[in-house]
Amino acid sequence: MNSIANKVLNSFKEKFSNTPNVYFSPGRINLIGEHIDYNDGYVMPAAINKGIYYAVAANGTDTINILALDFNETLNIKITDIKKMDSWKNYVLSVVNEFVLLGKITQGFDCVFSGDIPQGSGMSSSAAVEGGLAFALNEIFNFGYSRVQLALLCQRAEHNYPNVQCGIMDMYASLNGKKDHVILLDCTSVTHEYFPFVLKEYTIVMVNSKVHHSLASGEYNVRRQRCEEGLGILKTKLGVQSFRDISSTDDIVPFKETMTPEVYDCCKYVVEEIARTRKAGALLRQHDLKAFGQLMYATHEGLSKLYQVSCVELDFLVEQAKTNTAVIGARLMGGGFGGCTINMVRNESVELFIAAISAAYKQKFSIEPEAYIMSISDGTARIID
Ligand code: GLA
């Protein structure tokens, strides 16, 4: 058994008297399609082998008891007292609150959790926390919700207590991942198809900048508002329903003066990124990874210059990747303002790449970055019962 699963199970046994189920809820990477899940785009995430492990059991009382091992903190709260709190508590309680709003939670539960997704890395530890608990409660109490319904519930939960107006990608990918497959998620219909992710001569390497700018969640909501504002204008001017109805940025140029520069740049980025993801799917199927890698660089450029969610550290990591002939594509991944870059690197050069980029980054910012070699896993599942 995985060592974290073991630790969670043993801690549960020490602290509580009942027998839990143990679950794994993965983080996610996203190959392409950034900041377009809430803009009716297509995204290409996959669940990863890093995630959150939960031990959970119903307790037949009116109280919820949670031990967050990584924070060494305990929360004991009556179901009727659930409210917005701080840090990790917001994520778990907001999920419980969504079930309460649906009239579902009638008794308490005991729970221990821990994980190995570096916080603030952009690999979505929050969605893994939310999805894992939602999945566990759904199973333990026989609520009968589908994985898609649970993903939508977790999205509402993230909007509510943590107040991050996120899209559906993270929780959807975590709950619906498939080993060695990428998910092509249509964020309008909230449906997906899988296709095999065969990299052959390449490896996905994440490089963690270890910076996490505190503006991240506020600025995220600002980007979402800019897009809504821009789309509102484009709907009336162009008669479109969504960004995906706009086939070229040429169509939006005439309306540049009707928007603030920030709103216009966000709209331009979204139209371009939707076009890139459409191309990317075809390229992956043809195994044209070099062309796919060029799209990754173009996405980074757009995220940095137009969408303005990068930072000097991430720009530096992507520039470094570009100078390395073993890398065919790199970009910041996730919400931005810190976290990881995702890099596609030739298999035989992975170690050299990690050593070179780590040394350059350390010299420039006096921060030791971390690098992770990714493997793609199944979505949230019970692993012990
Ligand atoms: C965060 C959000 C997602 C998505 C990404 C950017 O991870 O939770 O919904 O918008 O940022 O692509």
Side-chain angles (χ1 to χ4, degrees), residues 15-31:
K15 198 170 165 64
F16 304 111
S17 54
N18 40 8
T19 307
N21 288 349
V22 179
Y23 298 88
F24 174 63
S25 174
R28 61 103 190 89
I29 54 169
N30 182 28
L31 293 184

Side-chain angles (χ1 to χ4, degrees), residues 28-48:
R28 61 103 190 89
I29 54 169
N30 182 28
L31 293 184
I32 198 156
E34 215 63 271
H35 280 278
I36 56 165
D37 56 347
Y38 55 89
N39 281 312
D40 290 323
Y42 307 88
V43 294
M44 222 179 272
I48 56 173

